[in-house]
Amino acid sequence: MLHDPRAIGSIVSLETGLDFETSSRKDSDGCQIISLTPAGHNPAHTFGIDVEIGWRRLELSFVPGKFAGPLLQAMSEADDSGRAVFRAVLRDCESQGAKVSFKLNGTEQRYGEESIWDATWRRLSFQLSKGNLELGTEDGIPDFEIVQSWTTRFAAAVISLLPLEQHEAEELEGYPEGAVQKVEVNRYERDRRNRAAALAIHGSACLACGMDFGRTYGPHADGYIEVHHVVQVSQLGSNYVIDPKEDLVPLCPNCHAVAHRRNPPFTVDEIKGLLRLGTGDPSRVSEVG
């Protein structure tokens, strides 16, 4: 079964915040390989992601362009937040049975070692493989969802090390009290790396009510979800490093709005309790086991 590379690329682009172009080919064994490259950039100076789809297995590879030396150097200089996201996504992949290979300048390295950031990145070979998947079977999760999910995870790890675009600070004069806090929340929630990592780890369905926009509204809504910051901004220091697994969760707009109806915000478990009770009375959340 051949997969539509454009459909895969569309969802990965939406969930990671980086637009990808896609193509497809077969290897010598007849396995489909879907290639994703950042749209609007010269492939020789950037990178690609190859997704090889085999029988019950996936292999994903980071493919630097021929003249991607400056990009590799920029990736080696990722800030603390980017490095933390990189490690968090790959740890989550390994917890689900994936194998990660990270070779720097021809030498096998452990992606979590601090020493990799002190080296000059001249060559980078980075792969993720996952076997024992339900690919090619009639039961279980559809093949498309499996391929898309693992591609999003791998892309999120790569994107975490890419340099972020710089934006001017917003002018807050004349805004009501609390506007600074709202802008800070948006900064953390909308950071491309953080959002991509949160969705790679948690998926794009609402963690509170289970709402999945793609399944409810069809392919045009695939991957749409809001990302909620669990920790209050007032508790974040200037050097706070986001943990996408613990600090960020996907919520539908309804549950996200409910979360912020209280200060501190309702937790995911509390929102689940409100949904089960069907009362909207926060004082009764503790009645739900």
Side-chain angles (χ1 to χ4, degrees):
M1 173 184 176
L2 292 180
H3 295 271
D4 182 355
R6 291 173 298 180
I8 297 289
S10 176
I11 298 180
V12 174
S13 297
L14 179 62
E15 295 196 3
T16 62
L18 180 64
D19 288 335
F20 284 101
E21 297 176 345
T22 58
S23 61
S24 178
R25 65 185 188 278
K26 288 186 178 182
D27 65 10
S28 57
D29 295 324
C31 294
Q32 182 182 14
I33 298 177
I34 295 176
S35 295
L36 299 89
T37 55
H41 296 274
N42 186 337
H45 295 277
T46 181
F47 69 93
I49 293 174
D50 279 357
V51 184
E52 182 178 343
I53 307 169
W55 173 252
R56 299 177 63 85
R57 67 176 178 83
L58 286 174
E59 292 189 4
L60 301 101
S61 303
F62 171 79
V63 184
K66 185 176 181 180
F67 304 109
L71 173 65
L72 296 182
Q73 182 61 31
M75 294 173 69
S76 74
E77 298 170 354
D79 60 19
D80 289 342
S81 294
R83 297 177 187 183
V85 168
F86 181 71
R87 291 190 293 265
V89 172
L90 293 182
R91 281 198 302 266
D92 183 72
C93 290
E94 287 184 325
S95 73
Q96 299 186 53
K99 180 181 179 181
V100 176
S101 173
F102 187 88
K103 289 185 179 180
L104 185 59
N105 302 330
T107 302
E108 188 78 35
Q109 303 275 2
R110 181 64 181 165
Y111 66 82
E113 293 293 332
E114 288 297 324
S115 59
I116 66 173
W117 310 110
D118 298 326
T120 299
W121 290 21
R122 295 183 298 273
R123 288 178 292 150
L124 177 61
S125 177
F126 172 37
Q127 287 93 26
L128 182 149
S129 59
K130 179 69 173 76
N132 297 319
L133 294 170
E134 296 298 324
L135 292 170
T137 67
E138 295 182 359
D139 301 324
I141 302 173
D143 286 10
F144 176 86
E145 292 186 20
I146 296 174
V147 175
Q148 174 267 310
S149 177
W150 282 101
T151 304
T152 297
R153 291 185 179 102
F154 189 77
V158 173
I159 287 171
S160 67
L161 301 183
L162 300 182
L164 286 172
E165 296 179 359
Q166 299 296 319
H167 297 282
E168 296 293 330
E170 294 188 40
E171 176 59 55
L172 298 178
E173 183 177 354
Y175 276 59
E177 185 177 356
V180 172
Q181 183 182 49
K182 181 62 176 176
V183 169
E184 288 298 302
V185 168
N186 287 341
R187 177 171 67 87
Y188 282 111
E189 292 179 356
R190 294 177 182 172
D191 185 316
R192 180 182 67 204
R193 302 171 304 189
N194 292 332
R195 175 181 172 83
L199 298 186
I201 292 171
H202 298 295
S204 58
C206 176
L207 283 194
C209 71
M211 170 70 166
D212 185 309
F213 280 83
R215 293 186 179 181
T216 302
Y217 294 101
H220 291 294
D222 270 332
Y224 174 76
I225 197 69
E226 295 183 0
V227 174
H228 168 61
H229 198 287
V230 174
V231 181
Q232 287 184 277
V233 173
S234 59
Q235 298 176 9
L236 304 182
S238 58
N239 295 322
Y240 186 85
V241 177
I242 297 294
D243 182 338
K245 186 172 184 177
E246 302 296 333
D247 295 340
L248 300 172
V249 294
L251 293 178
C252 71
N254 285 348
C255 289
H256 199 180
V258 170
H260 287 288
R261 290 286 291 175
R262 188 187 72 182
N263 188 13
F266 287 111
T267 67
V268 170
D269 285 341
E270 286 176 329
I271 297 173
K272 289 179 178 179
L274 293 173
L275 288 167
R276 287 195 294 266
L277 287 172
T279 65
D281 181 1
S283 66
R284 295 186 58 192
V285 171
S286 60
E287 298 175 16
V288 180

